[in-house]
Amino acid sequence: MNRTKPPSAVPAAKPSPTKTGAGRARAVKSRDGKAGVATATSPAERRLSGIAIVEGVAIGPVFGAVEPEIKPTPRRIQAADIEAERSRLDAAITQSKKQLVKLRARLDMLPEESQAEIAPLIDAYLQMLGPSRLTRGMRQRIEEGLVAAETAVHDAGEAMATAITALADEGGEQRASARRHADEVREISRRLIRNLTRQPFRSFAALPAGAVLVCEYLRPADVALLDPARLAAVAADEGGADGHTAIMLRALGVPSVLGVAELTAAAPPGTLAIVDGGKGEVILNPTPATLAEARRAVTSFARQRQQWARLKRLPAITTDHQEVELQANLELPAELPLIAQAGAAGIGLLRSEFLFMNRERIPNEDQQTEIYRGIIEAMGGDPVTIRVLDWSGEKEIDALIAEGLVPDLPPENPALSVRGLRLLLRQPDLFETQLAAILRAACAGPVRILLPMVTTIAELRLAREVFERVVRRLRRRGERLPEPLPPLGIMIETPAAALSADALALEADFFAIGSNDLTMYTLAVDRGEAIVAPLYDPLHPAVLRLMQFAIEAALLLRKPVSVCGELAANPKFTPLLLGLGLRSFSMNSSAVPRVKQAVRQVSAEACARFARRVMEQNDSSLIDELLSEFAEANE
Ligand code: PEP
Ligand code: MG
């Protein structure tokens, strides 16, 4: 996963107010900071493909998200801290090397000329991170200058960069090359400082209205800072279809494309761009004909949205009168109005971790109670399923680090380490505070509590013990609690949970199938990683069989079962999911009308027959074809 890597930025420049930005010379900077001048001729149209994330077409000037200035506050240390600071530096060096090696591995996907330009640069960075004058200087500053690792990195980097430029003669090629080298030293220092301080990316304040945000990498916490009303579209070099960044972007409903190799290098700020989030395409410097076509697409998409809006008042019911519950996933309170607009019947997955992001401290019990109560009340009696904190390395939460609840440096393999319920069971205060807040807020409306990342029945039992302990404590305190108490359910998002679903169904009050992680863990494919994105396939028969087993286990014991992964949002999958017996779906709210339309077009009986046929297949591309055929036949 790329979760530790903040988005490195396209160098800042004011977006051109003109439509094309073409025909005028303007200063631009390439990704490695080398200055250049665009020629006076119109730049040629360029089409780059990536992964389609959020449908919709948008046109606007590129805004290169700028990294905040990385200048740590100078910090002195005691002699006793030298060892600890040296280890922090070593860990940051190792992490930076890994990031660069990963970046080099991805170069294979770029055209040869880009590889030729970038590969030597990465090698130079790696060399500097080895036993070099630069890293020796950093260590020396910690040991002799008694300063913290980030101060040592900054000061050593600056000193070396200044010395390099000072040594070069004035003017000429030698000076230009010295300046480039100094830039490289500064860049490597910045990377180390980012890794040491995990400095969040917060430079969206200057985002001009109507701009296309372009960056190398966007973290989920960054998306939480975006204002969808100001933004035309988002496109990034990295990212996969089902990573948390993609999920957050869907929540915002901004046309988005991720995994566009070479985008930041090709799109300097101000470049006019068309982002087609449905096709997964970014067009730079479009010709007038392409631009006219894109404008027509913008209009037709707006019309389609209006049609979906009309579906809002109609029930989600199959042609043979089976009622289906269509709920919304919620990541940010700001999405609440969208849920109402979409006509969702409650919240099927409140990803509570996003409420902990971009805060200095973890909200206390009273603050959390207020947040949950506000959401529950806004749903006006519709049910709300609150998933307790699902922390993982990807969803960086600074407050957890600041309060020492998670390690400063992420584990080697966060997806397989302490995440979700595993963290909560290790940090009972964190867990109990959240449960207490949910229980108190649950007097405001129907609530269910959902546990993430369960792999064993023992975890469920331990969680229930904590839940009961919290209930007893709240009762002793004289708090008013809902009667009956909220059901305690589990995510089925690991193969272990899916294959133990028969046993888990005896003790869990409900299941929510998380197809995103289930796909990732079953297929051993990182859901947020562009390079393996083609292998990420929720239609793989292994994933479908695990889902089928879990659904049947729940239905046998009459336990409610829903699906809340991205699979639920794709209307093409709706007949199969209905056919497997699901009657409850939770998805990003913008997908509700489409899925409702798909539900209203089919009979549950035909879907069941269809699902039997699908489950006989062992090739996912064939399954995909069958889904397309079924969808077309029922349109
Ligand atoms: C899932 O894994 O499918 C899920 C819904 O949880 P998240 O996407 O938040 O990991
Ligand atoms: Mg999950």
Side-chain angles (χ1 to χ4, degrees), residues 582-596:
L582 285 166
R583 294 292 179 270
S584 177
F585 300 63
S586 190
M587 64 204 79
N588 67 76
S589 49
S590 62
V592 169
R594 267 172 273 179
V595 174
K596 190 187 275 187

Side-chain angles (χ1 to χ4, degrees), residues 40-60:
T41 52
S42 292
E45 176 176 300
R46 184 144 181 221
R47 288 173 184 253
L48 301 171
S49 352
I51 302 164
I53 302 293
V54 184
E55 214 180 329
V57 179
I59 308 165

Side-chain angles (χ1 to χ4, degrees), residues 323-401:
E323 277 180 33
V324 179
E325 183 178 49
L326 299 184
Q327 296 186 312
N329 293 349
L330 181 113
E331 284 79 36
L332 299 165
E335 294 167 56
L336 278 169
L338 301 178
I339 294 181
Q341 274 165 32
I347 296 171
L349 172 66
L350 190 158
R351 289 185 165 99
S352 68
E353 52 276 16
F354 295 104
L355 308 178
F356 292 72
M357 284 179 173
N358 299 314
R359 287 175 174 260
E360 303 242 315
R361 304 203 66 82
I362 295 169
N364 64 25
E365 185 186 311
D366 286 344
Q367 290 167 328
Q368 287 192 47
T369 306
E370 279 317 298
I371 297 171
Y372 302 131
R373 190 180 284 137
I375 295 171
I376 297 162
E377 281 172 355
M379 294 316 294
D382 281 340
V384 179
T385 299
I386 303 179
R387 184 175 71 185
V388 286
L389 181 64
D390 181 17
W391 177 81
S392 70
E394 191 195 8
K395 301 169 188 170
E396 279 174 40
I397 301 178
D398 297 337
L400 288 176
I401 301 167

Side-chain angles (χ1 to χ4, degrees), residues 84 99 119 153 175 271 409 442 511 518 523 526 541 544 549 587:
Q99 291 165 345
V153 169
R175 178 115 191 120
T271 309
L409 283 170
F511 283 171
L518 189 59
L523 304 182
D526 189 330
L544 295 181
F549 185 77
M587 64 204 79

Side-chain angles (χ1 to χ4, degrees), residues 374-622:
I375 295 171
I376 297 162
E377 281 172 355
M379 294 316 294
D382 281 340
V384 179
T385 299
I386 303 179
R387 184 175 71 185
V388 286
L389 181 64
D390 181 17
W391 177 81
S392 70
E394 191 195 8
K395 301 169 188 170
E396 279 174 40
I397 301 178
D398 297 337
L400 288 176
I401 301 167
E403 297 192 22
L405 297 174
V406 297
D408 239 20
L409 283 170
E412 276 287 303
N413 195 340
L416 302 182
S417 188
V418 178
R419 64 163 289 196
L421 186 57
R422 296 174 184 176
L423 174 72
L424 297 173
L425 292 175
R426 289 163 71 100
Q427 300 292 350
D429 284 351
L430 182 67
F431 193 16
E432 289 178 20
T433 303
Q434 189 173 21
L435 286 175
I438 298 172
L439 280 161
R440 284 170 58 195
C443 292
V447 166
R448 306 193 305 172
I449 300 175
L450 179 58
L451 305 171
M453 258 301 276
V454 173
T455 49
T456 68
I457 199 151
E459 287 167 333
L460 170 58
R461 286 180 186 152
L462 283 171
R464 197 177 282 284
E465 275 172 28
V466 179
F467 175 80
E468 283 164 2
R469 192 161 67 232
V470 173
V471 169
R472 283 197 299 276
R473 183 165 345 121
L474 291 177
R475 286 204 171 117
R476 274 201 305 275
R477 248 167 52 183
E479 295 284 355
R480 194 163 76 86
L481 294 183
E483 204 41 72
L485 288 169
L488 190 65
I490 59 170
M491 293 287 296
I492 299 288
E493 54 183 346
T494 61
L499 288 169
S500 320
D502 45 355
L504 288 165
L506 293 168
E507 301 194 25
D509 296 327
F510 64 94
F511 283 171
I513 297 176
S515 54
N516 308 335
D517 278 321
L518 189 59
T519 306
M520 170 168 94
Y521 289 117
T522 306
L523 304 182
V525 172
D526 189 330
R527 57 193 267 193
E529 188 76 80
I531 198 163
V532 282
L535 296 174
Y536 183 91
D537 180 9
L539 290 181
H540 190 297
V543 180
L544 295 181
R545 284 175 201 168
L546 288 171
M547 284 181 39
Q548 183 181 36
F549 185 77
I551 295 165
E552 285 175 0
L555 294 180
L556 194 68
L557 295 181
R558 296 181 186 281
K559 295 282 169 86
V561 53
S562 62
V563 60
C564 58
E566 295 305 289
L567 202 62
N570 189 336
K572 192 163 124 180
F573 298 160
T574 309
L576 172 63
L577 298 175
L578 288 171
L580 289 174
L582 285 166
R583 294 292 179 270
S584 177
F585 300 63
S586 190
M587 64 204 79
N588 67 76
S589 49
S590 62
V592 169
R594 267 172 273 179
V595 174
K596 190 187 275 187
Q597 193 168 31
V599 167
R600 292 174 56 84
Q601 281 165 347
V602 294
S603 83
E605 213 188 306
C607 289
R609 275 198 306 276
F610 174 62
R612 280 197 289 278
R613 238 181 101 203
V614 168
M615 296 310 288
E616 281 164 10
Q617 312 301 322
N618 50 23
D619 175 351
S620 64
S621 52
L622 231 119

Side-chain angles (χ1 to χ4, degrees), residues 51-118:
I51 302 164
I53 302 293
V54 184
E55 214 180 329
V57 179
I59 308 165
V62 164
F63 176 82
V66 184
E67 195 90 61
E69 202 201 345
I70 306 229
K71 188 165 187 297
T73 326
R75 188 160 65 85
R76 297 196 59 78
I77 56 164
Q78 305 290 324
D81 301 326
I82 292 177
E83 198 43 55
E85 291 304 306
R86 254 199 318 235
S87 313
R88 286 184 64 227
L89 175 62
D90 287 344
I93 290 177
T94 310
Q95 196 181 356
S96 303
K97 279 186 187 163
K98 272 193 198 153
Q99 291 165 345
L100 290 166
V101 168
K102 226 165 137 185
L103 199 65
R104 198 172 45 188
R106 273 207 318 273
L107 292 185
D108 289 350
M109 300 191 304
L110 301 186
E112 251 168 46
E113 62 277 20
S114 312
Q115 291 188 28
E117 184 166 338
I118 303 170

